[in-house]
Amino acid sequence: PPPPPPPPPSFFFQAHPANRDPLWSRGLGDVYKRQDIDCIKMAAKRVVAAYNSGNQMVVVVSAMAGVTNNLIELTEQVNGIFDVREYDVILSSGEQTNAGLMALAIQDLGIQARSWLGWQLPIKTDSKYGRARITEIDISEIKKRIENNEVAIVPGFQGLSKENRITTLGRGGSDLTAVAIAGALNADRCEIYTDVDGIYTCDPRIVSKAKKLDKVTYEEMLELASQGARVLLSLIHISEPTRPERSGGGGVWVVKKRG
Ligand code: ASP
Ligand code: MG
């Protein structure tokens, strides 16, 4: 018989497993709610559905709702003299937790999955701790695994500096990780599921004529991002927070090419 057809294009997915309702994020005890796990399970189901229809999957996860804010609060409680390198060690932990949880949730659905931390790949960055820029991504391990039919889970927001220390990419930086990895792998698709309704030409809170983009290319996205670590964040407008399960596949398409 003829050899099986090559696997269909890779497919990328960023799960933002919960929304950012400030009411959810009041003290640490409040942070890990049942809903968060439900959201992760829901996101895992979507990943597995896409995997089962023949896609190679890399999942980039963000932290749970309110977790990053809480971690910042903790650093502030410990000391006012701020060592931003330690701040990054602390802040990156929200994504670490979710990477492992996502791997477990996918395994629970019968699919092989494993997670890496940013430094293990590594995702190399410059040394601007707290808002580092990605300089290089080693995708060899990810590639090997997805070719071996595993789902690869990567925490967003994390990197490794030349000094061999953990960096973070600035608030909202998981989106950058997703786009950068999709670009490095030359993926056919990068889907970002997040608690915002789209990417705008400029901040719609400030410019009323801001246009919402249906599609943006990796190149355009990285170009936007290269204008400053916060550009991506300011381009994104939080109007009606949508959760993955509510958005019904809506969101932003980040594509290789327009057309
Ligand atoms: N967890 C980080 C933040 O809250 C990164 C992200 O959400 O993309 O900024
Ligand atoms: Mg986020």
Side-chain angles (χ1 to χ4, degrees):
S10 318
F11 180 79
F12 286 82
F13 184 94
Q14 187 203 20
H16 197 301
N19 72 17
R20 270 194 199 138
D21 184 341
L23 293 174
W24 284 19
S25 47
R26 289 235 174 97
L28 259 190
D30 271 353
V31 174
Y32 297 101
K33 296 224 185 222
R34 181 75 206 163
Q35 290 100 307
D36 291 322
I37 297 300
D38 288 344
C39 287
I40 289 171
K41 286 185 172 174
M42 197 123 42
K45 269 190 200 150
R46 288 182 79 135
V47 172
V48 167
Y51 172 95
N52 283 338
S53 49
N55 296 290
Q56 296 176 322
M57 301 291 292
V58 178
V59 185
V60 176
V61 294
S62 184
M64 286 187 211
V67 166
T68 308
N69 287 342
N70 272 291
L71 292 170
I72 292 174
E73 226 177 278
L74 291 180
T75 65
E76 288 165 355
Q77 281 176 34
V78 174
N79 104 24
I81 309 161
F82 212 74
D83 181 344
V84 76
R85 293 161 301 187
E86 297 303 340
Y87 169 92
D88 279 358
V89 171
I90 298 157
L91 253 66
S92 60
S93 65
E95 274 71 12
Q96 169 164 345
T97 307
N98 272 358
L101 288 172
M102 180 61 79
L104 287 182
I106 291 171
Q107 287 172 11
D108 200 44
L109 298 170
I111 305 297
Q112 292 236 52
R114 80 149 279 181
S115 66
W116 289 265
L117 298 183
W119 64 266
Q120 290 175 294
L121 292 171
I123 297 172
K124 292 189 183 164
T125 70
D126 63 19
S127 300
K128 289 189 202 83
Y129 296 92
R131 46 179 306 168
R133 293 265 305 279
I134 295 174
T135 53
E136 201 187 320
I137 299 182
D138 186 340
I139 49 158
S140 52
E141 261 304 302
I142 295 182
K143 235 176 149 171
K144 226 189 291 169
R145 296 296 180 135
I146 56 177
E147 274 159 15
N148 202 30
N149 298 323
E150 288 182 53
V151 175
I153 322 284
V154 180
F157 188 51
Q158 306 183 343
L160 181 70
S161 73
K162 276 187 253 37
E163 294 83 48
N164 221 24
R165 299 194 65 162
I166 306 296
T167 53
T168 62
L169 306 180
R171 297 308 304 273
S174 295
D175 297 347
L176 287 177
T177 308
V179 173
I181 286 185
L185 275 162
N186 200 23
D188 295 279
R189 246 154 85 173
C190 175
E191 279 191 5
I192 295 182
Y193 289 81
T194 187
D195 48 2
V196 298
D197 77 341
I199 295 177
Y200 287 77
T201 50
C202 44
D203 190 337
R205 288 164 298 189
I206 299 164
V207 182
S208 64
K209 285 201 182 104
K211 223 181 94 199
K212 189 174 158 213
L213 304 171
D214 301 328
K215 271 187 187 174
V216 57
T217 64
Y218 298 152
E219 218 173 308
E220 288 164 342
M221 194 87 160
L222 289 173
E223 206 176 285
L224 292 170
S226 74
Q227 289 167 21
R230 285 174 189 275
V231 169
L232 192 56
L233 196 65
S234 67
L235 280 169
I236 290 175
H237 169 54
I238 303 175
S239 58
E240 281 176 319
T242 48
R243 285 204 257 162
E245 75 272 27
R246 296 223 189 104
S247 61
V252 189
W253 289 100
V254 185
V255 294
K256 270 211 277 199
K257 283 202 178 91
R258 286 200 175 276

